[in-house]
Amino acid sequence: QVQLVESGGGLVQAGGSLRLSCVASGSIVTINVMGWYRQAPGKQRELVAAIRSGGSTNYADSAKGRFTISRDNAKSTVYLQMNSLKPEDTAVYYCNVVHMWQNYWGQGTQVIVSP
């Protein structure tokens, strides 16, 4: 089993920045992919960014140029640096880890961007 603990959400004004962190713990053998998803009220959960064990990344179009995903394999931690935040970025952000090709989710952290 893998447990995920997220931190770093909060309230920020438009144009501001936040950094989300997610630490994976438990019986970790091989983390294949680490990523961040978000779900806004009334909308489906969507991928924001993901990073593979080799370091390759992919981003949602809405995140490109503003968000940066990174990971520290030694600490089993993934980060999401979010800059130039917009009100439409308001959502609950969920950490996702693919471990031994099984999906695990964090409890979510709220991000609110005020105009």
Side-chain angles (χ1 to χ4, degrees):
Q1 283 290 343
V2 174
Q3 294 80 44
L4 304 176
V5 177
E6 300 141 331
S7 60
L11 173 64
V12 64
Q13 287 189 328
S17 299
L18 284 174
R19 188 192 195 207
L20 306 183
S21 300
C22 173
V23 181
S25 63
S27 303
I28 294 174
V29 177
T30 302
I31 294 179
N32 309 107
V33 186
M34 305 184 84
W36 291 94
Y37 287 70
R38 68 186 182 187
Q39 187 166 19
K43 295 188 177 181
Q44 290 189 329
R45 191 173 297 189
E46 61 177 5
L47 173 69
V48 178
I51 183 167
R52 294 163 186 78
S53 56
S56 62
T57 59
N58 61 288
Y59 293 88
D61 287 343
S62 59
K64 290 177 181 177
R66 300 188 299 127
F67 295 0
T68 302
I69 190 169
S70 60
R71 64 189 280 178
D72 185 331
N73 290 329
K75 297 181 179 179
S76 298
T77 300
V78 62
Y79 305 96
L80 185 68
Q81 178 66 43
M82 302 187 293
N83 299 328
S84 303
L85 283 161
K86 304 175 182 179
E88 51 263 44
D89 294 318
T90 294
V92 178
Y93 284 70
Y94 295 91
C95 176
N96 172 263
V97 164
V98 179
H99 175 261
M100 300 294 281
W101 300 112
Q102 292 191 17
N103 265 302
Y104 295 87
W105 294 92
Q107 78 284 357
T109 185
Q110 178 75 57
V111 171
I112 299 174
V113 184
S114 62

